[in-house]
Each structure stands twice: as structure tokens, then as C-alpha cells.
Amino acid sequence: KLRGTIPSELGNTSLIELNLDRNDLSGSIPTAMSLLKELYILDLSNNKLSGSLPSISSKSLVNVDLSKNKLSGELLPILGWPITLKTLKLSENKLHGRIPSYFAELPNINTFLLERNDLDGEVPPILCSHFRAKPSYSFS
């Protein structure tokens, strides 16, 4: 298993897929990750990553799995989730606050998992109607 932190130098690459799941990585997700403009798949699940969710600038990102970490903070629209996104897994972290309705603006999303966080409030009604025809979503 890999240990330590994710090197910020990864942001200076032309990666299209980054899969570091099921390791012992810790620390925060480097802000330099936002420099990965062609990233298609980002899987950092099942680690010990902490801090806030990263900003995403890739316009081709399809799959993001950051589940089973110790990420905290709110789900903010400034994170720049691209409209190409199909899968967003943020389960089993320490995210808090309300679920923003802007996720309904992601037309291609078909898997949206937020369970086992510290989210509160109601699920925005627009999300319910948006995800009604989608294969997989969980807010518990």
C-alpha cells in the first residue's frame, strides 16, 4: 500500500486517469490537482485523505470517487463540477451543510452518492425530480 501524501507535482502532468484507491494516503488533496485539465477519471477512495473537496477544472471529467476518506467542508458550487460528470461518489466522509440544488444542473450524472456524511436539511425537490429517472443515488 502507498503511504504519505499525494504529491502536488501530479498537477503538472497530462494524466487522463488517476486511480489511487485502497491505500494509506493521508493529508489533503493538493490544489494543484485542479491543473489536470484532461482528467477523465479521479479515484482517491478508501484512503485517509482530509481537508476540503478539491476544485475541479477538467471539462472532460466523467467519474469522481472520493468516498471513504475524512474529507470535510460543504458542497460548494465553486468546486466547478463539469457537466460531463456521470458518477460522483462522496460517501463516508465528514461533509456537512446542505445538499445544494446545483447538482441538478449536471445533465449526465447517473450515480450520485452522499450517504454517511454529516449533511443536514432537506434534499432539494429539484434533485428528486432530476434523479427520478437515474439508476443510482443515495442521500442517507
Side-chain angles (χ1 to χ4, degrees), residues 3 6 11 14 21 38 55-56 66 73 81 83 87 98 104 116 125 130 138:
R3 291 188 173 92
I6 298 171
S14 55
D21 73 319
E38 303 301 319
S55 291
I56 306 289
L66 301 175
W81 302 107
I83 62 169
T87 300
R98 297 180 181 270
R116 295 186 183 164
H130 179 71
S138 176

Side-chain angles (χ1 to χ4, degrees), residues 1-38:
K1 287 189 173 188
L2 297 173
R3 291 188 173 92
T5 60
I6 298 171
S8 60
E9 291 80 10
L10 280 176
N12 298 324
T13 66
S14 55
L15 288 172
I16 58 170
E17 180 175 349
L18 179 59
N19 188 334
L20 296 171
D21 73 319
R22 294 186 175 99
N23 283 291
D24 285 325
L25 298 172
S26 57
S28 61
I29 299 171
T31 55
M33 297 294 281
S34 68
L35 300 173
L36 294 171
K37 304 284 186 205
E38 303 301 319

Side-chain angles (χ1 to χ4, degrees), residues 48-114:
K48 298 173 184 171
L49 298 170
S50 57
S52 59
L53 293 172
S55 291
I56 306 289
S57 61
S58 172
K59 299 301 179 203
S60 49
L61 198 59
V62 172
N63 183 352
V64 174
D65 190 349
L66 301 175
S67 62
K68 298 181 181 177
N69 279 290
K70 298 176 182 180
L71 298 170
S72 58
E74 295 186 46
L75 298 169
L76 302 173
I78 58 170
L79 296 174
W81 302 107
I83 62 169
T84 54
L85 197 62
K86 291 185 178 181
T87 300
L88 180 59
K89 296 179 180 180
L90 301 173
S91 306
E92 296 185 46
N93 279 291
K94 297 179 179 185
L95 301 172
H96 60 85
R98 297 180 181 270
I99 301 171
S101 60
Y102 72 83
F103 284 111
E105 297 171 16
L106 301 175
N108 299 309
I109 199 160
N110 59 29
T111 301
F112 184 66
L113 305 177
L114 294 174

